[in-house]
Amino acid sequence: MMISYDHWSEVPRTWSAWPWHFFKPKEVACKGTGKLSINDRLIGKLDILRSRLGLPLSLSSVFRTPYYNAKCGGAPRSMHLFGLAADIRTVNKDRNLILELAKDLKFTGFGYYRTFLHVDLGRKREWGKWDV
């Protein structure tokens, strides 16, 4: 199910409108515009990932509007545009454990960056690498 709001602040503060424990609407909304359009499967999986990790997770990017995606250099058909991707900050975190948990949760797209791990629910693929 897709949830959309013109701005994250419009999300009702009820359990039925936002049933996730670990992430707030502001964290997953477009950083450039505040618009929120997210797939509930993605946030559900991120919530489980955070629960299994047992430590706070910081998301640097989840949903992006086309304007903001272009501004930050995102791919033209980025999964962020569809609310199906998240960039998880990995600085001072066990990034291999985060990756293992994400794979266990059946995320399908993985991008390895110096300071974050991109996960998504698009087609199966991986890019980049982490220097060990």
Side-chain angles (χ1 to χ4, degrees):
M1 177 173 81
M2 193 66 119
I3 300 167
S4 295
Y5 295 93
D6 287 334
H7 194 268
W8 64 264
S9 62
E10 296 173 356
V11 177
R13 294 176 186 224
T14 64
W15 181 253
S16 60
W18 197 265
W20 301 288
H21 295 281
F22 296 109
F23 302 102
K24 304 294 182 217
K26 183 177 182 179
E27 294 175 87
V28 298
C30 179
K31 303 295 187 226
T33 65
K35 183 174 175 67
L36 176 61
S37 187
I38 197 77
N39 185 292
D40 63 344
R41 284 186 10 218
L42 178 79
I43 296 301
K45 286 179 183 283
L46 290 171
D47 227 37
I48 294 168
L49 175 66
R50 162 55 181 91
S51 177
R52 290 183 182 172
L53 184 62
L55 298 167
L57 279 180
S58 179
L59 305 174
S60 56
S61 185
V62 183
F63 174 70
R64 296 180 193 155
T65 61
Y67 167 80
Y68 188 68
N69 187 62
K71 184 176 177 182
C72 66
R77 298 278 302 151
S78 170
M79 290 291 103
H80 290 281
L81 295 167
F82 307 100
L84 293 171
D87 294 338
I88 303 168
R89 290 188 180 103
T90 57
V91 175
N92 299 320
K93 301 280 185 200
D94 184 341
R95 62 187 182 184
N96 290 315
L97 177 58
I98 294 169
L99 175 62
E100 178 183 323
L101 292 170
K103 286 186 174 185
D104 286 346
L105 288 167
K106 309 293 187 227
F107 282 96
T108 48
F110 298 92
Y112 306 94
Y113 296 87
R114 189 174 57 81
T115 60
F116 67 93
L117 171 67
H118 169 98
V119 296
D120 69 48
L121 299 175
R123 63 184 169 77
K124 188 173 182 172
R125 69 214 186 287
E126 295 187 33
W127 65 93
K129 66 177 185 167
W130 281 334
D131 295 324
V132 178

